[in-house]
Amino acid sequence: MRSGRLFRYGEMGADQNDVAVLEQEFAALVARRYCVAVNSGGAALCLALKVLDVQPGDPVLVNGFTLAPVPGAILHAGARPVLVEIGADYVIDCDDLRRRARASGARILLLSHMRGHIADMDAVMGTCDELGLVLVEDCAHALCAKWGGRAIGTFGEAAAFSAQTYKHLNAGEGGFLALDNADRAARAILHSGSYMLHGQHLSAPGPDVIAGWEERTPNFSMRMTALAAALLRPQLRDLPRRVARWNAIHDRIASAIARSQHVRLPPRSPRQRYSATSVQFSLLGFTDGEIAAMLDRCAARGLPIKWFGAGRQRGFTSAPRHWRYAGDQGAMQQTHAILAGLCDIRTPLSLTDEDCDLVAEILREAIETIVSTRAEAGETGRARTG
Ligand SMILES: *Cc1c(COP(=O)(O)O)cnc(C)c1O
């Protein structure tokens, strides 16, 4: 702050270049050869598609349970989202993936590990091989997650991460693209806006590789600031402790609410190791009105819960039917049926064990209240007609 060097590149050199060091540290953390730090997770996704040569109008497959910046990144790259249904475990349905890949002729799958729910990566990779699909991973909720011992973010050709406030790392804004291919890394550096100062990168291919792309690669100005990197570097070191605590918070709340017969938690394969910063659950047999009333009761007690089945998009929460800009996707019936009962509780690290128990208690009381109101109404109804 005192030096005023908030831009990642210095005209007089790059001493104290936190962004370059952070890129090296992040690449090591996620086990990829190169990392390019950018200004958002959405920008990292867009860059991933650009360096994979996505052309205007190209179809790009993406699972329908994701956050709006994901179809947004596909459109930003000039391509066309093709949404794929999810199953009851909230992750991509590989049968529908097969259908939509064949129908669209898509070459790329952007797999969003939404809210840290990890698909069966053996099945996904098998399907990608079968169909010749190139995989890009959206790891905005999957930093430090694993499948069968292998780090999420190392399955695809490229992986995008976010450092926006509500993710595992918080710089307010920020993102990372992680990948192994030297030419694609060179192109990502140039696209991100390196002003011919790419010699100041530490996680980068050699200057000859970059030189080959210089005049063919436009500057999109998607850089990370030095200030964001300075905020992120200490958080990176603290990440293992944070992930352990986040998972403990998740497990405590999830196991308490799973005891309700009106709630279903998605099955999780023992092969996945998640790193949860939120808890998701499905309400069983509730009408939209009942869910809205139940969430109002929780909100009145200070517990905000998001609902993917809400009629209108709100805050971070939306569903395929709200993304009219993505073009006609058909009804997406299976996904919307699952999202209709899907609720979401954000779990900040500041929650104590007592807070977790209180969260579960507020939720279970609200559910019981709605269910007993329904039972009384049913009895009154029967009494009247009887
Ligand atoms: C947050 C998020 C992104 C995008 O991150 P930004 O840094 O906000 O652009 C992408 N995918 C998912 C699933 C996210 O939650």
Side-chain angles (χ1 to χ4, degrees):
M1 292 295 285
R2 237 176 262 121
S3 74
R5 289 186 186 164
L6 298 177
F7 192 54
R8 69 167 292 170
Y9 301 110
E11 277 186 309
M12 313 297 286
D15 53 324
Q16 296 174 6
N17 188 338
D18 276 302
V19 184
V21 178
L22 174 67
E23 285 169 335
Q24 259 185 334
E25 293 170 341
F26 195 86
L29 173 76
V30 300
R32 300 296 311 233
R33 204 158 153 213
Y34 304 112
C35 168
V36 184
V38 290
N39 55 0
S40 75
L45 285 168
C46 177
L47 275 192
L49 298 175
K50 294 301 288 184
V51 303
L52 284 166
D53 280 323
V54 163
Q55 298 300 312
D58 275 2
V60 172
L61 297 152
V62 58
N63 43 314
F65 178 39
T66 186
L67 208 71
V70 180
I74 295 172
L75 290 160
H76 194 180
R80 177 168 64 82
V82 176
L83 300 182
V84 180
E85 301 271 24
I86 57 163
D89 45 6
Y90 303 169
V91 299
I92 195 162
D93 174 338
C94 282
D95 293 329
D96 195 55
L97 172 60
R98 230 173 253 116
R99 270 192 295 277
R100 294 196 196 232
R102 294 212 171 100
S104 66
R107 180 174 74 77
I108 294 183
L109 167 63
L110 201 178
L111 182 67
S112 183
H113 302 294
M114 177 65 167
R115 294 290 196 266
H117 296 276
I118 309 298
D120 178 336
M121 292 306 294
D122 302 324
V124 169
M125 297 313 288
T127 312
C128 286
D129 282 349
E130 175 192 328
L131 299 165
L133 293 173
V134 174
L135 179 67
V136 174
E137 294 178 78
D138 167 20
C139 304
H141 296 147
L143 183 59
C144 298
K146 290 189 170 170
W147 174 264
R150 177 169 165 188
I152 292 300
T154 63
F155 285 85
E157 287 296 319
F161 299 82
S162 170
Q164 182 241 77
T165 290
Y166 297 113
K167 316 295 163 109
H168 298 82
L169 298 170
N170 172 12
E173 289 277 15
F176 299 96
L177 177 65
L179 69 183
D180 296 334
N181 178 283
D183 283 294
R184 291 180 193 138
R187 293 168 70 185
I189 288 169
L190 292 163
H191 274 316
S192 76
S194 54
Y195 290 114
M196 308 304 295
L197 297 166
H198 32 72
Q200 296 176 20
H201 281 246
L202 300 171
S203 172
D208 43 329
V209 180
I210 301 186
W213 289 102
E214 267 167 9
E215 296 184 353
R216 289 190 280 164
T217 312
N219 174 335
F220 294 153
S221 277
M222 291 174 165
R223 295 163 302 267
M224 177 179 280
T225 70
L227 181 57
L231 292 172
L232 290 170
R233 290 190 53 213
Q235 294 180 46
L236 222 55
R237 291 192 281 277
D238 196 28
L239 202 53
R241 184 194 64 84
R242 290 181 182 207
V243 167
R245 178 62 197 152
W246 252 314
N247 280 343
I249 291 171
H250 171 275
D251 294 350
R252 194 171 180 107
I253 297 176
S255 61
I257 63 181
R259 288 202 286 273
S260 166
Q261 61 181 12
H262 307 290
V263 167
R264 189 186 63 84
L265 271 77
R268 293 212 191 230
S269 160
R271 285 176 67 69
Q272 69 164 278
R273 199 186 83 191
Y274 48 89
S275 66
T277 56
S278 56
V279 178
Q280 289 71 44
F281 60 91
S282 291
L283 289 168
L284 303 175
F286 283 69
T287 66
D288 285 358
E290 287 172 339
I291 295 179
M294 198 277 288
L295 299 185
D296 281 347
R297 290 190 73 85
C298 291
R301 292 187 65 190
L303 175 64
I305 298 184
K306 290 181 230 76
W307 175 31
F308 284 92
R312 308 189 56 169
Q313 53 182 342
R314 202 169 149 189
F316 295 93
T317 311
S318 61
R321 65 178 180 281
H322 302 123
W323 307 331
R324 278 169 46 200
Y325 46 75
D328 184 12
Q329 304 289 334
M332 294 293 292
Q333 225 159 16
Q334 193 176 309
T335 298
H336 285 126
I338 291 157
L339 296 184
L342 204 163
C343 297
D344 180 33
I345 307 177
R346 197 192 300 291
T347 51
L349 271 181
S350 54
L351 293 181
T352 62
D353 284 353
E354 294 69 40
D355 294 333
C356 293
D357 296 344
L358 183 58
V359 164
E361 185 190 310
I362 291 172
L363 177 62
R364 286 169 60 189
E365 277 179 17
I367 290 173
E368 290 310 322
T369 306
I370 298 297
V371 171
S372 57
T373 315
R374 180 199 296 163
E376 279 163 28
E379 268 158 34
T380 320
R382 269 195 298 283
R384 261 203 309 271
T385 51

